[in-house]
Amino acid sequence: MLIRTNNLKKHFSLGKGQILHAVDGVSLEIAQNEILGLVGESGSGKSTFGKTLIGLHPRTGGQAYFDDIPLPANFSARDHLHYSQLMQMIFQDPYSSLNPRMTILDIIGEGLEIQGKLNKTDIKEQVSYWLRRVGLHSDHMSRYPHEFSGGQRQRIGIARSMIIAPKFVVCDEPISALDVSVQAQVVNLLEELKQTLGLTLLFIAHDLSMVRYVSDRMVVMYLGTLVESGPSDQVFYNPKHPYTQLLIESNPEPDPNIERQRKHKPITGEVTSPINIGPGCRFADRCPQAMEHCLTVTPNATQVAEQHSVSCHLYTD
Amino acid sequence: MTANILEVTNLSVEFETFGGTVQAVRGVSFAVEAGKTLAIVGESGCGKSVTVQSVMGIIPMPPGKITSGSAKVKGEEILGLTAIEANRYRGVEIGMIFQDPMTSLNPSMTIGNQIAETLVVHRGKSHSEALAMAIKLLDRTHIPEASKRARQYPFEFSGGMLQRAMIAQSLACNPSLLIADEPTTALDVTIQEQILELLTELQRTEGMSILLITHDLAVVARMADQVAVMYAGQIIERGSLDDIFYRSAHPYTLGLKSAMPSNTGRGDKRLQPIPGSPPDLFSPPQGCGYAARCPQAMQICKRKLPVLTEDPGDSGHLSRCWLQHKDAPDVEELYQPLKLKGTSSAH
């Protein structure tokens, strides 16, 4: 396993003794050359998990391993320098994640410059190669971010993280801000890079159909915890956890005949606050199948099929 | 034949900017039938929001300018009215909800007062009467503890609850048409489902028409009766929901569909991205706006703008594409799946 987390936690202190449990005990594994999809609604902690994993947030508890080497809970500047060569991130918003005052050459080449292994000419050559590789022109490097469209900027962001030749990349909602026709360009590019470079990806998104399409396995997050994990098609077509079931039932299909047949019974209520959470299943207050002990006992992950596990009392004896 | 609540004909809108004139909307025509939902689909910058904002009279003028066209609500022209005249239909005959409920509501006014304001302005109610009605409206959009919620401010509401509050406000005067501009884009899929279900329910009980603006084909499939697909400021295909999804006539509509993952076939077809990006509307191409990205583009597509052509075998299904022209037979075999059964000109 290239990436492994064990009971990873990230809490934010809000003052006055209030604690926000953004990520609250997530254990997962990502194999070499695998795309793991991470789905969840806003506030489920999926972005925080990705950032904590690669050291952008200090960890509150639990362990994380890269290639079986334990990652520090609190990255020092030296750790960042070391691990940023192995783990990179692609951000959601291609507008705010590129410095508007830097040229494309400086943006994409910055990582190599910090590494200090290459001289300016070599860096330029690398930037030029990566611009072409992501479908842009090498003469784009003297331009500034505002001269590019959203899809092009996202490809600049991809080039910036790929030029380091990382082993593992966290893609935090890389296509949410893009138009449909452009989303496919970016997704296919990521897929191609995975194939040719042997990359391992954590693909964070809220678009269920896209996550199913892109990833080999997917995990579903709710209020800081994993509720279900398994092979993508299995989780999508045969969801076990009541939350996953409702999530997939709410996901509309671009097909009128299917929509006409669908029974619409929206999930009631909204995600509860992740502040000062007590014991019990976090979905219990919205769950149509909640039982008494769901409110008091936290469910553990139970295996329901090969590689497919669910954290729900319906599946424990 | 059902009556049309809203009829827009040949609407064109321009914006004067420092960089030149943007031709945001270029000759758009559509109609919304009573009690039905028309969805306008398109990607960012295609002019779908400008179209409905022009109809509502809420584009800033200048820099905006409606250069041609008409929009009729129940037969009455509403373009070019003064602000006071416009208030007779705006918020009364037509309600509108927006994409971002957080920035569309006044953060310094309670939710109840904002809804009540509509009733005070348009219906001449007293404040206390209006407030009581506001609470009923919140209740109708299924906001729990409506009387308590009415005293709260927008920051105390979640995104989904704010969208409900905005729907409550738009319903205040019993509009015959609700314009919903990307109503669920900012929401999570479970909350999206709640809001879409609420809109469907309200349409059933109130009998109102909905003009839905969205970029999401899945939401269209869920909600629409009629669909208009926009690209580069023009409607490039228009028809019933099934026309657009199962008998797509325009290469752009087909392109959009194959760029999205489908969960129904189970077989994983590789997504087909549409190469390139939409044209610059500062100087729109003289031919078809999609020609530069279209895999089926012919010589004429780059030179001359195609007209909206109706399929005689499928009334009401129009597409703006040279492949539908009667003189485009040479490519018929090659483009069989695109070619409609026969062609004649309309509009």
Side-chain angles (χ1 to χ4, degrees):
Chain A
M1 291 295 154
L2 186 72
I3 296 289
R4 194 151 56 85
T5 71
N6 179 26
N7 203 21
L8 187 131
K9 286 183 184 169
K10 174 65 201 170
H11 297 170
F12 293 97
S13 170
L14 303 178
K16 294 180 191 159
Q18 289 198 316
I19 291 173
L20 189 142
H21 300 243
V23 180
D24 212 13
V26 169
S27 308
L28 54 77
E29 291 179 334
I30 312 175
Q32 180 89 39
N33 204 15
E34 179 183 55
I35 301 186
L36 179 73
L38 172 55
V39 282
E41 296 181 274
S42 32
S44 62
K46 53 192 194 305
S47 290
T48 309
F49 173 78
K51 288 182 179 165
T52 310
L53 180 59
I54 64 166
L56 296 182
H57 288 311
R59 207 160 62 225
T60 312
Q63 294 86 38
Y65 303 88
F66 177 87
D67 220 355
D68 287 326
I69 302 160
L71 294 171
N74 207 340
F75 276 51
S76 66
R78 181 186 281 227
D79 289 329
H80 276 302
L81 193 59
H82 175 64
Y83 283 108
S84 65
Q85 301 179 39
L86 300 167
M87 306 191 287
Q88 278 289 320
M89 185 147 181
I90 296 166
F91 295 92
Q92 168 172 7
D93 184 354
Y95 291 86
S96 63
S97 59
L98 303 180
N99 187 336
R101 299 173 62 165
M102 282 165 81
T103 62
I104 301 309
L105 171 66
D106 292 339
I107 288 172
I108 300 179
E110 195 180 19
L112 292 178
E113 212 165 286
I114 291 169
Q115 284 186 344
K117 290 178 194 157
L118 295 178
N119 64 31
K120 282 226 153 71
T121 339
D122 291 339
I123 291 179
K124 215 167 172 176
E125 206 165 287
Q126 281 286 310
V127 171
S128 152
Y129 167 79
W130 272 103
L131 276 173
R132 278 178 279 126
R133 184 75 194 266
V134 298
L136 297 168
H137 274 285
S138 25
D139 43 326
H140 283 157
M141 69 172 101
S142 53
R143 298 199 190 170
Y144 287 88
H146 75 264
E147 298 174 67
F148 295 90
S149 68
Q152 289 175 321
R153 283 166 185 239
Q154 199 54 288
R155 283 186 269 177
I156 292 167
I158 293 174
R160 169 174 65 180
S161 53
M162 293 303 167
I163 200 165
I164 308 291
K167 297 254 181 325
F168 173 62
V169 181
V170 174
C171 310
D172 186 8
E173 304 252 16
I175 52 165
S176 314
L178 306 177
D179 273 321
V180 176
S181 68
V182 181
Q183 283 185 354
Q185 295 175 7
V186 172
V187 162
N188 285 351
L189 172 65
L190 287 173
E191 191 115 300
E192 188 249 330
L193 293 172
K194 175 211 162 191
Q195 304 282 354
T196 51
L197 303 176
L199 273 180
T200 306
L201 300 177
L202 176 65
F203 188 89
I204 302 174
H206 62 266
D207 181 344
L208 286 160
S209 309
M210 202 50 113
V211 169
R212 186 199 67 82
Y213 172 80
V214 174
S215 37
D216 303 304
R217 283 191 310 126
M218 69 160 117
V219 294
V220 183
M221 219 170 152
Y222 187 79
L223 267 181
T225 57
L226 289 190
V227 296
E228 185 159 358
S229 66
S232 295
D233 279 2
Q234 211 164 310
V235 173
F236 192 90
Y237 292 115
N238 192 11
K240 296 291 183 200
H241 196 284
Y243 175 65
T244 319
Q245 288 169 352
L246 288 164
L247 198 60
I248 285 161
E249 272 170 35
S250 308
N251 185 41
E253 283 289 325
D255 187 329
N257 282 340
I258 292 180
E259 284 306 312
R260 278 189 277 259
Q261 283 160 20
R262 189 193 291 276
K263 286 192 192 73
H264 295 288
K265 40 171 194 218
I267 198 169
T268 51
E270 297 190 359
V271 183
T272 32
S273 154
I275 300 167
N276 299 340
I277 287 182
C281 171
R282 298 198 170 175
F283 187 58
D285 57 335
R286 296 171 82 188
C287 181
Q289 301 173 64
M291 300 168 288
E292 223 168 85
H293 61 290
C294 293
L295 296 165
T296 49
V297 186
T298 311
N300 291 321
T302 317
Q303 190 148 357
V304 287
E306 200 180 331
Q307 287 195 321
H308 189 174
S309 65
V310 184
S311 300
C312 175
H313 286 306
L314 290 173
Y315 301 92
T316 50
D317 311 312
Chain B
M1 219 24 213
T2 33
N4 289 332
I5 294 293
L6 173 69
E7 266 177 31
V8 174
T9 324
N10 197 26
L11 178 73
S12 292
V13 186
E14 290 179 359
F15 288 90
E16 293 290 342
T17 70
F18 287 117
T21 308
V22 184
Q23 300 179 29
V25 177
R26 306 188 287 150
V28 160
S29 306
F30 61 87
V32 187
E33 290 174 23
K36 293 280 170 57
T37 300
L38 170 74
I40 300 183
V41 222
E43 298 183 278
S44 32
C46 73
K48 55 192 192 301
S49 288
V50 173
T51 300
V52 293
Q53 284 171 9
S54 312
V55 170
M56 278 301 262
I58 53 172
I59 54 167
M61 292 196 259
K65 195 174 146 205
I66 295 174
T67 50
S68 76
S70 99
K72 290 186 170 140
V73 171
K74 293 182 174 169
E76 215 182 309
E77 180 63 46
I78 58 169
L79 287 188
L81 296 181
T82 63
I84 292 172
E85 289 169 334
N87 276 346
R88 272 188 306 149
Y89 78 91
R90 193 159 60 189
V92 183
E93 284 291 344
I94 312 181
M96 186 159 179
I97 58 174
F98 299 88
Q99 169 171 356
D100 187 354
M102 209 47 154
T103 54
S104 313
L105 290 165
N106 185 341
S108 61
M109 252 173 115
T110 63
I111 296 287
N113 281 343
Q114 293 191 53
I115 300 173
E117 189 187 32
T118 316
L119 290 157
V120 172
V121 171
H122 290 299
R123 290 281 188 252
K125 303 276 179 202
S126 73
H127 182 75
S128 56
E129 245 181 324
L131 203 58
M133 287 173 75
I135 293 168
K136 279 207 188 98
L137 285 163
L138 287 173
D139 200 46
R140 213 159 84 198
T141 53
H142 307 307
I143 292 185
E145 300 177 89
S147 51
K148 181 184 140 207
R149 288 300 214 157
R151 289 192 301 273
Q152 292 183 333
Y153 290 90
F155 77 89
E156 296 172 90
F157 277 53
S158 67
M161 283 296 160
L162 277 179
Q163 196 56 280
R164 286 173 192 273
M166 200 149 65
I167 293 173
Q169 183 179 33
S170 70
L171 291 178
C173 298
N174 287 315
S176 26
L177 173 67
L178 178 70
I179 298 180
D181 189 356
E182 301 265 10
T184 57
T185 306
L187 304 175
D188 278 317
V189 36
T190 57
I191 309 299
Q192 162 171 294
E193 176 61 23
Q194 292 176 1
I195 297 293
L196 295 180
E197 188 57 30
L198 173 66
L199 289 175
T200 316
E201 178 201 317
L202 290 170
Q203 181 167 44
R204 212 167 39 229
T205 54
E206 316 294 317
M208 66 184 179
S209 310
I210 296 178
L211 176 54
L212 176 73
I213 310 300
T214 180
H215 69 278
D216 188 339
L217 283 175
V219 171
V220 175
R222 161 90 165 81
M223 299 293 288
D225 299 299
Q226 299 283 317
V227 184
V229 185
M230 269 187 91
Y231 188 80
Q234 296 178 319
I235 288 179
I236 53 97
E237 184 166 1
R238 211 171 76 194
S240 72
L241 183 62
D242 286 1
D243 283 342
I244 300 298
F245 277 86
Y246 301 125
R247 295 181 288 278
S248 318
H250 198 285
Y252 176 64
T253 315
L254 278 170
L256 271 187
K257 283 197 310 182
S258 31
M260 291 179 77
S262 152
N263 301 313
T264 45
R266 286 222 189 183
D268 267 318
K269 265 189 299 173
R270 196 173 150 78
L271 299 184
Q272 298 293 327
I274 302 176
S277 41
D280 188 353
L281 292 180
F282 280 111
S283 52
Q286 98 192 101
C288 168
Y290 189 57
R293 303 173 81 185
C294 180
Q296 273 99 10
M298 303 173 286
Q299 284 292 323
I300 190 164
C301 302
K302 293 184 175 118
R303 287 204 312 269
K304 218 166 160 246
L305 191 68
V307 285
L308 263 181
T309 307
E310 184 168 23
D311 175 11
D314 187 5
S315 91
H317 186 189
L318 298 105
S319 127
R320 189 186 284 278
C321 178
W322 281 118
L323 289 172
Q324 312 305 338
H325 192 267
K326 61 175 168 34
D327 290 340
D330 299 338
V331 290
E332 194 165 13
E333 281 183 0
L334 209 53
Y335 305 124
Q336 193 65 45
L338 289 174
K339 187 78 181 163
L340 300 173
K341 281 157 236 128
T343 42
S344 76
S345 255
H347 292 249

